[in-house]
Amino acid sequence: MAASSRTKQPGRPWGIILLALWEFAVGIQMVLVGLAFLSFSGTLLEGSAWRSLAFLIGLGYFVIGVSALLLARGYVKGYESSRRRGRSVAAFAIAFAILGVLFLPPKLSPDSPFWTIVGNVVILLYLGSDKVVAYFKGRSRS
């Protein structure tokens, strides 16, 4: 019997599955909030600044939600571009959370920017780990 000449690709790490599920849940939530804001903006007075603001907020939430869903898909499919984009998103979140730490009153509650920094540092390091990089390199699109 001839041996298979295919190389074995690394399996999908559990952390990638959890990260994809998290991004999927966040994406669905943001799309729904965006649609709610867009719907709400339709009930406001025509030409009102509040209507324009609600519309822009809704549109922003919707676009970011769709982006999160695409990122989750890329994690599951193993696209290297999604790994790089996920690291970029984590780095931007850390930068904005540092600004929050500088300008918001100090507190260590669940909504503190400190926890955003900690969580995104973990994601940034995880997406750069050797096992995860090998998974994404083995499945990159041609």
Side-chain angles (χ1 to χ4, degrees):
M1 296 197 164
S4 175
S5 63
R6 287 197 286 177
T7 59
K8 183 172 170 77
Q9 294 179 339
R12 184 179 298 123
W14 277 101
I16 294 298
I17 295 169
L18 295 175
L19 201 54
L21 287 172
W22 177 262
E23 284 295 328
F24 180 76
V26 167
I28 292 294
Q29 175 193 10
M30 292 188 91
V31 165
L32 292 176
V33 168
L35 291 175
F37 265 98
L38 290 172
S39 176
F40 175 67
S41 73
T43 65
L44 297 174
L45 187 61
E46 184 74 33
S48 158
W50 291 109
R51 181 179 181 140
S52 300
L53 182 63
F55 178 79
L56 289 174
I57 290 172
L59 189 62
Y61 266 100
F62 185 79
V63 168
I64 293 171
V66 170
S67 296
L69 291 173
L70 291 173
L71 187 61
R73 178 182 178 266
Y75 285 157
V76 170
K77 296 277 190 175
Y79 297 154
E80 173 64 20
S81 60
S82 292
R83 184 189 73 83
R84 287 192 311 267
R85 191 174 313 121
R87 286 178 55 97
S88 297
V89 168
F92 278 117
I94 291 168
F96 282 114
I98 288 172
L99 288 174
V101 166
L102 294 175
F103 295 112
L104 294 175
K107 60 181 181 176
L108 200 57
S109 63
D111 64 340
S112 170
F114 172 77
W115 299 114
T116 301
I117 294 169
V118 170
N120 281 291
V121 164
V122 169
I123 290 171
L124 190 66
L125 293 174
Y126 180 72
L127 287 176
S129 69
D130 293 337
K131 183 178 180 181
V132 172
V133 170
Y135 164 71
F136 281 99
K137 292 289 184 195
R139 288 177 169 54
S140 62
R141 291 188 271 191
S142 302

